[in-house]
Amino acid sequence: MEAKDFIRTQVVEDLASGKHSRIITRFPPEPNGYLHIGHAKSICLNFGVAAEAGGECNLRFDDTNPEKEEQEYIDAIKRDVHWLGFDWAGDTRYASNYFDALYDYAVQLIRMGKAYVDSQSAEAISQGRSTLNGAGLESPFRNRTVEENLSLFEKMRAGDFNEGECVLRAKVDMASPNINLRDPVIYRIKKVEHHQTGNKWVIYPMYDYTHPISDALEYITHSLCTLEFEDHRPFYDWLLDTLATPAHPQQIEFSRLNLNYTVTSKRKLKKLVDEGHVHGWDDPRMPTIAGLRRRGYTPESLRDFCDRIGITKSEGVVDVGMLEFCIRNHLENTAPRAMAVLNPLKVVVTNIDEVLMLRSACHPNLPELGEREIPFTREIVIDAADFSDNPPKGFKRLVPGGEVRLRHSYVIRCDEVIRNESGDVVELRCSADLDTLGKNPEGRKVKGVIHWVSASAGVPAEVRLYDRLFTQPDPEAGDDGFLGCINSEAFKVVQAMVEPSLANAAAEDRFQFEREGYFVADLVDTKPGKPVFNRTVGLRDSWGGA
Ligand code: ATP
Ligand code: MG
């Protein structure tokens, strides 16, 4: 195992010193939304460290908030982890698996005089804890007897109190400068059904109490989490030092991933979905793993991205261009090439009457991808942007009377431009130089090369052009927050014409459309013979450019 960051360095040391003989990590999502690119960082770290050390990684749903959690999210999270290329050890775990054990540990704390039932209001508790000068305010209920606490806690469990009437608090240190140690609440009453435990419980343990004990019960060796939990570590350790748990995992914090032009918070992503700003959690504009997948990202590209950003303790913002670089880099060397005309303009090649079947390699450097047939016919389409009768300086594509090379095909000359009543160009009449297949024309140079598709043999296809979801590098910076800088141009649909070899593209087949970018056959809407393509990313970084 390579000690390539401070966490792996620690793991290598713990194996070398014999502190641990087997490494066990866990990925602990709360099932209250879909996973996003930030979670991918945590997944790659936890599963990666375990795999490199020959150990195991558990998937544990942190399901202590029943009303915000749903089965749909559990299913999506499992699907996304598998898709990223990882598998967890044994069964899927749930913090709720440990509700009985957590209850017993709470009773133990009470017996030790280390927990008490507080009957103050939530506001009073929070005010008492959050005094900034000096010690917090002790609750008048802090010194209830063990017997009284045991009986009240049992009544909480039995449903004898209403929500908010009382809570169980750990008795740690109201004078601590760390607010997390000022007698944190460890159980509260919630009379709601739970997706795993049904109506068995009306009291639910808090995250800060549940997490360390769940880690210990699973013999986790290294509990890796993001920096905001650093201040919670003293309570994590207090709890495991106080209770006789089977293990005492080491919590280690790392910095979360922040990406520009992106929001990575499930709460905000949920808002985008619920308010209809996007078409669901897997909308290809979303930074969710499901969205990135539908956009055409590969698991390899996301793992490569996580590897490149690395693991540190310093907060920073990663350029989303790095993510785009990773997918281009992967597809450049794997995706077959194809031709698709996104904005078709009809061209009649007047000296062609029959179908000329041309062939071309699917990838210039990967002969194993084979060849495909490309029919050249009397009627073809080119992209409207590849013709101009008022060309800007340096325009190398088709102009009236000019010549251009059709990719994988002949050189054509534009003989006639046909317009409709409003003066728009609707058709070009061209002639092909039949002596130019695979060779330069005699006595003249033709510089431009454009792509094309047979109009009669090509396949009409819906193509969805995606771009960045936000116009601002920091979507939160403006007055209206992230909802105020949604990029209205981030989703456009065009009716394209694609080469016949793409007719039977299967969902998630990926291609480089020559001169256009990388595209994927949509996972949801592609039907046999009727592909729908999503633009994953352009060929080069053009954001903010022309
Ligand atoms: P969000 O703020 O989006 O709701 P969260 O931290 O509440 O995220 P959890 O489901 O609790 O979401 O996270 C599961 C794991 O993923 C945690 O260990 C968390 O630290 C980690 N994680 C979440 N967001 C990021 C991020 N942006 N970068 C790295 N790790 C992250
Ligand atoms: Mg969370």
Side-chain angles (χ1 to χ4, degrees):
M1 172 172 193
E2 195 194 330
K4 62 183 174 186
D5 54 56
F6 75 99
I7 290 180
R8 286 170 167 91
T9 303
Q10 179 72 58
V11 170
V12 167
E13 269 174 30
D14 290 346
L15 285 169
S17 72
K19 180 178 179 194
H20 298 296
S21 56
R22 185 164 176 72
I23 300 302
I24 310 180
T25 57
R26 85 287 168 269
F27 174 63
E30 183 178 357
N32 61 348
Y34 278 52
L35 299 180
H36 53 63
I37 181 71
H39 294 111
K41 173 174 178 173
S42 176
I43 292 169
C44 289
L45 174 66
N46 280 293
F47 285 92
V49 163
E52 291 157 39
E56 310 191 315
C57 180
N58 296 343
L59 173 65
R60 183 202 313 140
F61 289 100
D62 151 34
D63 55 349
T64 51
N65 262 328
E67 69 268 70
K68 283 199 271 161
E69 298 161 1
E70 283 178 30
Q71 189 62 40
E72 180 200 348
Y73 298 141
I74 293 178
D75 296 339
I77 289 170
K78 292 204 258 186
R79 191 162 58 232
D80 289 346
V81 172
H82 274 148
W83 178 77
L84 271 176
F86 299 108
D87 201 5
W88 48 93
D91 293 337
T92 311
R93 291 151 209 262
Y94 296 87
S96 55
N97 294 156
Y98 312 125
F99 280 176
D100 285 310
L102 289 160
Y103 181 81
D104 291 344
Y105 279 122
V107 170
Q108 279 184 40
L109 286 177
I110 295 173
R111 286 191 202 285
M112 296 162 87
K114 302 273 188 193
Y116 60 97
V117 173
D118 195 345
S119 306
Q120 293 186 104
S121 68
E123 301 76 65
I125 293 176
S126 127
Q127 272 175 18
R129 295 184 74 207
S130 60
T131 50
L132 287 177
N133 304 315
L137 283 182
E138 288 191 8
S139 165
F141 303 100
R142 194 172 198 256
N143 295 314
R144 278 174 160 158
T145 63
V146 168
E147 288 66 36
E148 194 182 1
N149 282 318
L150 285 174
S151 140
L152 288 171
F153 189 48
E154 170 54 30
K155 284 190 175 142
M156 279 173 67
R157 193 192 62 80
D160 294 353
F161 295 114
N162 295 322
E163 286 188 21
E165 240 180 294
C166 48
V167 295
L168 186 71
R169 294 177 70 178
K171 193 172 185 173
V172 191
D173 179 5
M174 285 307 286
S176 172
N178 182 343
I179 198 170
N180 295 293
L181 288 179
R182 293 183 177 180
D183 294 9
V185 173
I186 60 176
Y187 265 94
R188 78 279 206 216
I189 300 167
K190 269 183 195 271
K191 298 195 169 172
V192 291
E193 189 173 302
H194 187 284
H195 51 91
Q196 300 300 313
T197 57
N199 291 308
K200 178 171 176 191
W201 297 94
V202 294
I203 56 172
Y204 290 98
M206 300 297 285
Y207 175 85
D208 274 353
Y209 173 72
T210 307
H211 198 76
I213 296 177
S214 306
D215 280 349
L217 292 175
E218 292 178 9
Y219 294 91
I220 300 301
T221 54
H222 300 84
S223 178
L224 312 177
C225 61
T226 35
L227 282 176
E228 68 272 20
F229 291 102
E230 197 163 15
D231 290 347
H232 299 236
R233 179 158 27 97
F235 183 64
Y236 186 106
D237 288 330
W238 178 90
L239 200 57
L240 298 186
D241 286 339
T242 304
L243 290 167
T245 52
H248 188 145
Q250 182 185 1
Q251 174 177 311
I252 310 179
E253 307 85 17
F254 62 96
S255 58
R256 43 194 308 129
L257 167 66
N258 302 305
L259 262 189
N260 62 10
Y261 295 101
T262 309
V263 301
T264 46
S265 143
K266 278 181 286 188
R267 190 177 52 78
K268 290 173 192 161
L269 296 175
K270 186 166 191 308
K271 211 170 158 75
L272 290 169
V273 174
D274 290 347
E275 293 184 4
H277 300 289
V278 294
H279 305 143
W281 286 97
D282 66 346
D283 186 301
R285 288 167 288 182
M286 290 280 273
T288 51
I289 295 178
L292 291 164
R293 172 180 182 178
R294 219 176 145 187
R295 178 78 170 255
Y297 276 80
T298 57
E300 292 87 342
S301 65
L302 296 184
R303 293 199 305 261
D304 179 36
F305 172 74
C306 292
D307 205 43
R308 285 170 193 269
I309 58 176
I311 298 293
T312 67
K313 267 192 182 290
S314 53
E315 296 278 8
V317 179
V318 175
D319 184 359
V320 71
M322 167 95 103
L323 186 60
E324 295 167 351
F325 166 84
C326 291
I327 186 60
R328 274 191 204 104
N329 195 37
H330 186 220
L331 294 180
E332 162 65 18
N333 299 310
T334 51
R337 307 311 198 232
M339 292 196 289
V341 173
L342 302 188
N343 184 13
L345 171 63
K346 182 175 165 187
V347 173
V348 177
V349 189
T350 50
N351 59 335
I352 299 288
D353 289 312
E354 61 208 320
V355 179
L356 301 178
M357 201 50 93
L358 309 174
R359 295 183 72 80
S360 185
C362 292
H363 193 287
N365 312 321
L366 298 174
E368 61 272 28
L369 293 186
E371 292 193 330
R372 82 270 193 198
E373 290 193 319
I374 310 175
F376 183 58
T377 52
R378 183 177 172 84
E379 293 193 358
I380 63 170
V381 290
I382 65 170
D383 199 283
D386 283 334
F387 170 78
S388 175
D389 54 359
N390 181 18
K393 203 164 167 280
F395 189 80
K396 291 206 190 73
R397 294 160 280 168
L398 199 56
V399 297
E403 284 185 304
V404 77
R405 156 82 60 190
L406 295 177
R407 182 93 173 119
H408 308 301
S409 177
Y410 302 93
V411 169
I412 57 169
R413 173 187 307 279
C414 177
D415 304 317
E416 193 184 345
V417 178
I418 300 183
R419 298 168 185 278
N420 62 13
E421 299 95 77
S422 6
D424 307 322
V425 177
V426 291
E427 183 182 317
L428 304 177
R429 296 273 161 124
C430 299
S431 47
D433 179 343
L434 295 176
D435 196 27
T436 54
L437 193 61
K439 60 178 182 184
N440 288 328
E442 296 284 333
R444 60 201 196 277
K445 271 215 157 76
V446 174
K447 283 209 185 115
V449 182
I450 64 173
H451 61 286
W452 59 279
V453 169
S454 161
S456 45
V459 178
E462 176 174 325
V463 174
R464 300 170 181 171
L465 301 174
Y466 293 103
D467 211 330
R468 295 181 182 172
L469 182 52
F470 298 102
T471 55
Q472 297 302 316
D474 178 1
E476 293 296 348
D479 290 343
D480 303 322
F482 67 104
L483 295 179
C485 63
I486 293 181
N487 178 9
S488 58
E489 306 282 292
F491 173 54
K492 285 184 203 150
V493 179
V494 297
Q495 297 301 324
M497 185 68 89
V498 302
E499 64 169 77
S501 71
L502 295 178
N504 291 311
E508 300 207 281
D509 281 353
R510 298 176 175 86
F511 301 92
Q512 184 195 101
F513 288 172
E514 296 197 45
R515 301 181 62 231
E516 293 290 356
Y518 293 99
F519 290 74
V520 66
D522 186 68
L523 178 60
V524 178
D525 296 323
T526 292
K527 299 287 174 307
K530 219 173 170 315
V532 171
F533 293 100
N534 299 334
R535 180 169 67 199
T536 308
V537 69
L539 289 178
R540 57 195 71 82
D541 188 0
S542 60
W543 180 257

